[in-house]
Amino acid sequence: MRIEILDEVSSTNEYIRRYLKDGENVVVCARRQTGGHGTKGRSFLSEAGGVYMSALTFPENLPAAEAFRVMTHAAVSVCRTAEEFGVFPEIKWPNDVFWRGAKLAGISIENSFSDKRVVSSLVGIGLNAENDLSALGGIAVSLSQASGNPVSADAARDALIRNYCRQDDFKDYLDRVRFLGKTVRVIEGDRTFTATARRILGDGRLEIEEDGTPRILSAAEISLRLGG
């Protein structure tokens, strides 16, 4: 896999698109982004001290029905990286990584499909390492804060690249999802309700139980209910 390290770029996701026609797996990391974006077009604070990585891969024989594997792999890679520094986070379905209720990393996924197969995947990962998050009022946490020891962005970046190049399976993902069996608050469009999270299916959908009735969610945003 080709690896490129940049000091500064507007967006690693935008930068890496230049390799889409090459068909070569590439990882691009930057020490700082000036125009980073997360999921749903949200701006992403990308100051020095964080890890800003994009990975462009061209999977072989990955059915579209199993595209969720791209997401699980990215989330597991982040968790394994944190675990190397003594931090044991959990995955909030489908792919955000939290530590004690604060966001440690965010992940965005862009898959391209053809003939019911994934032909390319663009994964963007923002991992907090030693960046100053005080302006966010406690909603985010860095590896340095969580571990109680300084964790340099370069060390976290190298670990993330190494873990992203490792293989994993669906069990590795499920082992790091800790809200199953608990009460969660589900935000689904304009509706908010509580339910019990039962299981995550192999295609990434979430099975819940609402008022004794099972349901399958595919695109809802969920959050754990405090004390649930």
PDB file of all heavy atoms in Angstrom, residues 96-123:
ATOM      1  N   ASP A  96     -18.643   5.556  14.992  1.00  0.00           N
ATOM      2  CA  ASP A  96     -17.928   6.526  15.813  1.00  0.00           C
ATOM      3  C   ASP A  96     -17.256   5.810  16.971  1.00  0.00           C
ATOM      4  O   ASP A  96     -17.752   4.803  17.474  1.00  0.00           O
ATOM      5  CB  ASP A  96     -18.882   7.603  16.355  1.00  0.00           C
ATOM      6  CG  ASP A  96     -19.281   8.608  15.289  1.00  0.00           C
ATOM      7  OD1 ASP A  96     -18.465   8.859  14.382  1.00  0.00           O
ATOM      8  OD2 ASP A  96     -20.398   9.147  15.363  1.00  0.00           O
ATOM      9  N   VAL A  97     -16.129   6.331  17.416  1.00  0.00           N
ATOM     10  CA  VAL A  97     -15.375   5.708  18.499  1.00  0.00           C
ATOM     11  C   VAL A  97     -15.349   6.662  19.689  1.00  0.00           C
ATOM     12  O   VAL A  97     -14.905   7.804  19.567  1.00  0.00           O
ATOM     13  CB  VAL A  97     -13.945   5.359  18.046  1.00  0.00           C
ATOM     14  CG1 VAL A  97     -13.166   4.717  19.197  1.00  0.00           C
ATOM     15  CG2 VAL A  97     -13.992   4.405  16.852  1.00  0.00           C
ATOM     16  N   PHE A  98     -15.842   6.172  20.827  1.00  0.00           N
ATOM     17  CA  PHE A  98     -15.973   6.987  22.032  1.00  0.00           C
ATOM     18  C   PHE A  98     -15.172   6.382  23.186  1.00  0.00           C
ATOM     19  O   PHE A  98     -14.941   5.174  23.236  1.00  0.00           O
ATOM     20  CB  PHE A  98     -17.447   7.063  22.461  1.00  0.00           C
ATOM     21  CG  PHE A  98     -18.252   8.093  21.705  1.00  0.00           C
ATOM     22  CD1 PHE A  98     -18.591   7.890  20.371  1.00  0.00           C
ATOM     23  CD2 PHE A  98     -18.665   9.264  22.321  1.00  0.00           C
ATOM     24  CE1 PHE A  98     -19.334   8.820  19.670  1.00  0.00           C
ATOM     25  CE2 PHE A  98     -19.403  10.206  21.625  1.00  0.00           C
ATOM     26  CZ  PHE A  98     -19.741   9.986  20.305  1.00  0.00           C
ATOM     27  N   TRP A  99     -14.793   7.251  24.107  1.00  0.00           N
ATOM     28  CA  TRP A  99     -14.172   6.827  25.363  1.00  0.00           C
ATOM     29  C   TRP A  99     -14.869   7.578  26.501  1.00  0.00           C
ATOM     30  O   TRP A  99     -14.837   8.804  26.543  1.00  0.00           O
ATOM     31  CB  TRP A  99     -12.669   7.125  25.369  1.00  0.00           C
ATOM     32  CG  TRP A  99     -11.968   6.680  26.620  1.00  0.00           C
ATOM     33  CD1 TRP A  99     -11.538   5.427  26.932  1.00  0.00           C
ATOM     34  CD2 TRP A  99     -11.603   7.515  27.728  1.00  0.00           C
ATOM     35  NE1 TRP A  99     -10.934   5.406  28.165  1.00  0.00           N
ATOM     36  CE2 TRP A  99     -10.960   6.680  28.677  1.00  0.00           C
ATOM     37  CE3 TRP A  99     -11.761   8.870  28.022  1.00  0.00           C
ATOM     38  CZ2 TRP A  99     -10.469   7.165  29.889  1.00  0.00           C
ATOM     39  CZ3 TRP A  99     -11.275   9.351  29.219  1.00  0.00           C
ATOM     40  CH2 TRP A  99     -10.640   8.507  30.141  1.00  0.00           C
ATOM     41  N   ARG A 100     -15.550   6.821  27.348  1.00  0.00           N
ATOM     42  CA  ARG A 100     -16.279   7.397  28.489  1.00  0.00           C
ATOM     43  C   ARG A 100     -17.205   8.540  28.063  1.00  0.00           C
ATOM     44  O   ARG A 100     -17.274   9.596  28.710  1.00  0.00           O
ATOM     45  CB  ARG A 100     -15.310   7.846  29.576  1.00  0.00           C
ATOM     46  CG  ARG A 100     -14.502   6.692  30.167  1.00  0.00           C
ATOM     47  CD  ARG A 100     -13.636   7.124  31.323  1.00  0.00           C
ATOM     48  NE  ARG A 100     -12.867   5.994  31.842  1.00  0.00           N
ATOM     49  CZ  ARG A 100     -11.993   6.073  32.849  1.00  0.00           C
ATOM     50  NH1 ARG A 100     -11.771   7.253  33.436  1.00  0.00           N
ATOM     51  NH2 ARG A 100     -11.336   5.003  33.255  1.00  0.00           N
ATOM     52  N   GLY A 101     -17.914   8.330  26.981  1.00  0.00           N
ATOM     53  CA  GLY A 101     -18.913   9.300  26.534  1.00  0.00           C
ATOM     54  C   GLY A 101     -18.390  10.443  25.704  1.00  0.00           C
ATOM     55  O   GLY A 101     -19.169  11.275  25.232  1.00  0.00           O
ATOM     56  N   ALA A 102     -17.080  10.510  25.488  1.00  0.00           N
ATOM     57  CA  ALA A 102     -16.496  11.579  24.676  1.00  0.00           C
ATOM     58  C   ALA A 102     -15.932  10.986  23.390  1.00  0.00           C
ATOM     59  O   ALA A 102     -15.394   9.879  23.376  1.00  0.00           O
ATOM     60  CB  ALA A 102     -15.389  12.296  25.450  1.00  0.00           C
ATOM     61  N   LYS A 103     -16.046  11.738  22.324  1.00  0.00           N
ATOM     62  CA  LYS A 103     -15.652  11.225  21.010  1.00  0.00           C
ATOM     63  C   LYS A 103     -14.139  11.232  20.847  1.00  0.00           C
ATOM     64  O   LYS A 103     -13.484  12.269  20.970  1.00  0.00           O
ATOM     65  CB  LYS A 103     -16.308  12.066  19.912  1.00  0.00           C
ATOM     66  CG  LYS A 103     -16.220  11.450  18.530  1.00  0.00           C
ATOM     67  CD  LYS A 103     -17.121  12.200  17.560  1.00  0.00           C
ATOM     68  CE  LYS A 103     -17.131  11.542  16.189  1.00  0.00           C
ATOM     69  NZ  LYS A 103     -18.065  12.227  15.262  1.00  0.00           N
ATOM     70  N   LEU A 104     -13.593  10.066  20.572  1.00  0.00           N
ATOM     71  CA  LEU A 104     -12.154   9.919  20.365  1.00  0.00           C
ATOM     72  C   LEU A 104     -11.805  10.015  18.883  1.00  0.00           C
ATOM     73  O   LEU A 104     -10.742  10.521  18.516  1.00  0.00           O
ATOM     74  CB  LEU A 104     -11.689   8.570  20.928  1.00  0.00           C
ATOM     75  CG  LEU A 104     -10.203   8.246  20.825  1.00  0.00           C
ATOM     76  CD1 LEU A 104      -9.378   9.214  21.680  1.00  0.00           C
ATOM     77  CD2 LEU A 104      -9.947   6.801  21.272  1.00  0.00           C
ATOM     78  N   ALA A 105     -12.692   9.531  18.037  1.00  0.00           N
ATOM     79  CA  ALA A 105     -12.420   9.528  16.594  1.00  0.00           C
ATOM     80  C   ALA A 105     -13.716   9.529  15.812  1.00  0.00           C
ATOM     81  O   ALA A 105     -14.734   9.012  16.272  1.00  0.00           O
ATOM     82  CB  ALA A 105     -11.578   8.308  16.210  1.00  0.00           C
ATOM     83  N   GLY A 106     -13.644  10.085  14.627  1.00  0.00           N
ATOM     84  CA  GLY A 106     -14.761  10.060  13.702  1.00  0.00           C
ATOM     85  C   GLY A 106     -14.333   9.409  12.403  1.00  0.00           C
ATOM     86  O   GLY A 106     -13.161   9.501  12.005  1.00  0.00           O
ATOM     87  N   ILE A 107     -15.258   8.743  11.756  1.00  0.00           N
ATOM     88  CA  ILE A 107     -14.955   8.000  10.531  1.00  0.00           C
ATOM     89  C   ILE A 107     -16.014   8.316   9.477  1.00  0.00           C
ATOM     90  O   ILE A 107     -17.207   8.322   9.782  1.00  0.00           O
ATOM     91  CB  ILE A 107     -14.935   6.485  10.797  1.00  0.00           C
ATOM     92  CG1 ILE A 107     -13.862   6.144  11.833  1.00  0.00           C
ATOM     93  CG2 ILE A 107     -14.701   5.697   9.512  1.00  0.00           C
ATOM     94  CD1 ILE A 107     -13.946   4.714  12.346  1.00  0.00           C
ATOM     95  N   SER A 108     -15.584   8.567   8.260  1.00  0.00           N
ATOM     96  CA  SER A 108     -16.509   8.737   7.146  1.00  0.00           C
ATOM     97  C   SER A 108     -16.183   7.701   6.073  1.00  0.00           C
ATOM     98  O   SER A 108     -15.018   7.321   5.895  1.00  0.00           O
ATOM     99  CB  SER A 108     -16.422  10.146   6.556  1.00  0.00           C
ATOM    100  OG  SER A 108     -15.141  10.382   5.994  1.00  0.00           O
ATOM    101  N   ILE A 109     -17.212   7.238   5.383  1.00  0.00           N
ATOM    102  CA  ILE A 109     -17.043   6.197   4.377  1.00  0.00           C
ATOM    103  C   ILE A 109     -17.719   6.625   3.073  1.00  0.00           C
ATOM    104  O   ILE A 109     -18.858   7.081   3.079  1.00  0.00           O
ATOM    105  CB  ILE A 109     -17.681   4.860   4.826  1.00  0.00           C
ATOM    106  CG1 ILE A 109     -17.194   4.449   6.217  1.00  0.00           C
ATOM    107  CG2 ILE A 109     -17.432   3.766   3.791  1.00  0.00           C
ATOM    108  CD1 ILE A 109     -15.787   3.955   6.283  1.00  0.00           C
ATOM    109  N   GLU A 110     -17.015   6.470   1.974  1.00  0.00           N
ATOM    110  CA  GLU A 110     -17.588   6.678   0.646  1.00  0.00           C
ATOM    111  C   GLU A 110     -17.262   5.452  -0.201  1.00  0.00           C
ATOM    112  O   GLU A 110     -16.109   5.253  -0.581  1.00  0.00           O
ATOM    113  CB  GLU A 110     -17.011   7.926  -0.018  1.00  0.00           C
ATOM    114  CG  GLU A 110     -17.319   9.235   0.702  1.00  0.00           C
ATOM    115  CD  GLU A 110     -16.684  10.429   0.013  1.00  0.00           C
ATOM    116  OE1 GLU A 110     -16.700  10.450  -1.244  1.00  0.00           O
ATOM    117  OE2 GLU A 110     -16.158  11.295   0.703  1.00  0.00           O
ATOM    118  N   ASN A 111     -18.264   4.637  -0.468  1.00  0.00           N
ATOM    119  CA  ASN A 111     -18.077   3.459  -1.312  1.00  0.00           C
ATOM    120  C   ASN A 111     -18.642   3.717  -2.697  1.00  0.00           C
ATOM    121  O   ASN A 111     -19.670   4.369  -2.854  1.00  0.00           O
ATOM    122  CB  ASN A 111     -18.784   2.243  -0.702  1.00  0.00           C
ATOM    123  CG  ASN A 111     -18.101   1.744   0.557  1.00  0.00           C
ATOM    124  OD1 ASN A 111     -16.873   1.739   0.659  1.00  0.00           O
ATOM    125  ND2 ASN A 111     -18.889   1.309   1.534  1.00  0.00           N
ATOM    126  N   SER A 112     -17.976   3.160  -3.702  1.00  0.00           N
ATOM    127  CA  SER A 112     -18.491   3.196  -5.069  1.00  0.00           C
ATOM    128  C   SER A 112     -18.831   1.768  -5.482  1.00  0.00           C
ATOM    129  O   SER A 112     -18.090   0.827  -5.161  1.00  0.00           O
ATOM    130  CB  SER A 112     -17.449   3.775  -6.026  1.00  0.00           C
ATOM    131  OG  SER A 112     -17.177   5.125  -5.705  1.00  0.00           O
ATOM    132  N   PHE A 113     -19.954   1.611  -6.198  1.00  0.00           N
ATOM    133  CA  PHE A 113     -20.463   0.282  -6.523  1.00  0.00           C
ATOM    134  C   PHE A 113     -20.610   0.098  -8.028  1.00  0.00           C
ATOM    135  O   PHE A 113     -20.864   1.046  -8.769  1.00  0.00           O
ATOM    136  CB  PHE A 113     -21.821   0.061  -5.864  1.00  0.00           C
ATOM    137  CG  PHE A 113     -21.824   0.230  -4.363  1.00  0.00           C
ATOM    138  CD1 PHE A 113     -22.081   1.470  -3.786  1.00  0.00           C
ATOM    139  CD2 PHE A 113     -21.561  -0.843  -3.528  1.00  0.00           C
ATOM    140  CE1 PHE A 113     -22.086   1.631  -2.411  1.00  0.00           C
ATOM    141  CE2 PHE A 113     -21.559  -0.701  -2.153  1.00  0.00           C
ATOM    142  CZ  PHE A 113     -21.827   0.542  -1.595  1.00  0.00           C
ATOM    143  N   SER A 114     -20.473  -1.153  -8.444  1.00  0.00           N
ATOM    144  CA  SER A 114     -20.731  -1.526  -9.829  1.00  0.00           C
ATOM    145  C   SER A 114     -21.044  -3.015  -9.857  1.00  0.00           C
ATOM    146  O   SER A 114     -20.327  -3.819  -9.240  1.00  0.00           O
ATOM    147  CB  SER A 114     -19.512  -1.234 -10.709  1.00  0.00           C
ATOM    148  OG  SER A 114     -19.751  -1.627 -12.036  1.00  0.00           O
ATOM    149  N   ASP A 115     -22.120  -3.377 -10.547  1.00  0.00           N
ATOM    150  CA  ASP A 115     -22.503  -4.787 -10.657  1.00  0.00           C
ATOM    151  C   ASP A 115     -22.615  -5.466  -9.297  1.00  0.00           C
ATOM    152  O   ASP A 115     -22.130  -6.588  -9.093  1.00  0.00           O
ATOM    153  CB  ASP A 115     -21.509  -5.548 -11.534  1.00  0.00           C
ATOM    154  CG  ASP A 115     -21.500  -5.040 -12.971  1.00  0.00           C
ATOM    155  OD1 ASP A 115     -22.572  -4.633 -13.455  1.00  0.00           O
ATOM    156  OD2 ASP A 115     -20.423  -5.039 -13.593  1.00  0.00           O
ATOM    157  N   LYS A 116     -23.229  -4.744  -8.369  1.00  0.00           N
ATOM    158  CA  LYS A 116     -23.482  -5.269  -7.023  1.00  0.00           C
ATOM    159  C   LYS A 116     -22.201  -5.608  -6.263  1.00  0.00           C
ATOM    160  O   LYS A 116     -22.186  -6.472  -5.386  1.00  0.00           O
ATOM    161  CB  LYS A 116     -24.395  -6.496  -7.077  1.00  0.00           C
ATOM    162  CG  LYS A 116     -25.782  -6.199  -7.629  1.00  0.00           C
ATOM    163  CD  LYS A 116     -26.665  -7.433  -7.599  1.00  0.00           C
ATOM    164  CE  LYS A 116     -28.061  -7.104  -8.138  1.00  0.00           C
ATOM    165  NZ  LYS A 116     -28.949  -8.286  -8.113  1.00  0.00           N
ATOM    166  N   ARG A 117     -21.130  -4.882  -6.591  1.00  0.00           N
ATOM    167  CA  ARG A 117     -19.873  -5.051  -5.872  1.00  0.00           C
ATOM    168  C   ARG A 117     -19.284  -3.698  -5.518  1.00  0.00           C
ATOM    169  O   ARG A 117     -19.549  -2.696  -6.176  1.00  0.00           O
ATOM    170  CB  ARG A 117     -18.866  -5.857  -6.703  1.00  0.00           C
ATOM    171  CG  ARG A 117     -19.304  -7.303  -6.950  1.00  0.00           C
ATOM    172  CD  ARG A 117     -18.180  -8.146  -7.516  1.00  0.00           C
ATOM    173  NE  ARG A 117     -18.611  -9.543  -7.659  1.00  0.00           N
ATOM    174  CZ  ARG A 117     -18.599 -10.425  -6.666  1.00  0.00           C
ATOM    175  NH1 ARG A 117     -18.172 -10.055  -5.463  1.00  0.00           N
ATOM    176  NH2 ARG A 117     -19.007 -11.674  -6.864  1.00  0.00           N
ATOM    177  N   VAL A 118     -18.489  -3.687  -4.459  1.00  0.00           N
ATOM    178  CA  VAL A 118     -17.765  -2.476  -4.083  1.00  0.00           C
ATOM    179  C   VAL A 118     -16.525  -2.394  -4.953  1.00  0.00           C
ATOM    180  O   VAL A 118     -15.685  -3.310  -4.939  1.00  0.00           O
ATOM    181  CB  VAL A 118     -17.365  -2.505  -2.596  1.00  0.00           C
ATOM    182  CG1 VAL A 118     -16.606  -1.233  -2.235  1.00  0.00           C
ATOM    183  CG2 VAL A 118     -18.590  -2.664  -1.709  1.00  0.00           C
ATOM    184  N   VAL A 119     -16.401  -1.320  -5.717  1.00  0.00           N
ATOM    185  CA  VAL A 119     -15.236  -1.189  -6.598  1.00  0.00           C
ATOM    186  C   VAL A 119     -14.164  -0.285  -5.996  1.00  0.00           C
ATOM    187  O   VAL A 119     -12.981  -0.406  -6.322  1.00  0.00           O
ATOM    188  CB  VAL A 119     -15.640  -0.690  -7.995  1.00  0.00           C
ATOM    189  CG1 VAL A 119     -16.488  -1.728  -8.692  1.00  0.00           C
ATOM    190  CG2 VAL A 119     -16.376   0.639  -7.912  1.00  0.00           C
ATOM    191  N   SER A 120     -14.571   0.636  -5.113  1.00  0.00           N
ATOM    192  CA  SER A 120     -13.589   1.454  -4.409  1.00  0.00           C
ATOM    193  C   SER A 120     -14.184   1.955  -3.104  1.00  0.00           C
ATOM    194  O   SER A 120     -15.407   2.109  -2.985  1.00  0.00           O
ATOM    195  CB  SER A 120     -13.129   2.648  -5.263  1.00  0.00           C
ATOM    196  OG  SER A 120     -14.177   3.589  -5.427  1.00  0.00           O
ATOM    197  N   SER A 121     -13.314   2.178  -2.147  1.00  0.00           N
ATOM    198  CA  SER A 121     -13.729   2.702  -0.844  1.00  0.00           C
ATOM    199  C   SER A 121     -12.792   3.828  -0.444  1.00  0.00           C
ATOM    200  O   SER A 121     -11.567   3.678  -0.516  1.00  0.00           O
ATOM    201  CB  SER A 121     -13.691   1.612   0.234  1.00  0.00           C
ATOM    202  OG  SER A 121     -14.660   0.628  -0.006  1.00  0.00           O
ATOM    203  N   LEU A 122     -13.390   4.936  -0.040  1.00  0.00           N
ATOM    204  CA  LEU A 122     -12.614   6.066   0.474  1.00  0.00           C
ATOM    205  C   LEU A 122     -13.000   6.243   1.933  1.00  0.00           C
ATOM    206  O   LEU A 122     -14.131   6.598   2.247  1.00  0.00           O
ATOM    207  CB  LEU A 122     -12.901   7.332  -0.335  1.00  0.00           C
ATOM    208  CG  LEU A 122     -11.867   8.458  -0.266  1.00  0.00           C
ATOM    209  CD1 LEU A 122     -12.206   9.551  -1.271  1.00  0.00           C
ATOM    210  CD2 LEU A 122     -11.756   9.071   1.125  1.00  0.00           C
ATOM    211  N   VAL A 123     -12.065   5.977   2.810  1.00  0.00           N
ATOM    212  CA  VAL A 123     -12.304   6.043   4.251  1.00  0.00           C
ATOM    213  C   VAL A 123     -11.543   7.223   4.825  1.00  0.00           C
ATOM    214  O   VAL A 123     -10.328   7.354   4.618  1.00  0.00           O
ATOM    215  CB  VAL A 123     -11.839   4.737   4.944  1.00  0.00           C
ATOM    216  CG1 VAL A 123     -12.011   4.844   6.453  1.00  0.00           C
ATOM    217  CG2 VAL A 123     -12.614   3.541   4.404  1.00  0.00           C
TER     218      VAL A 123
END
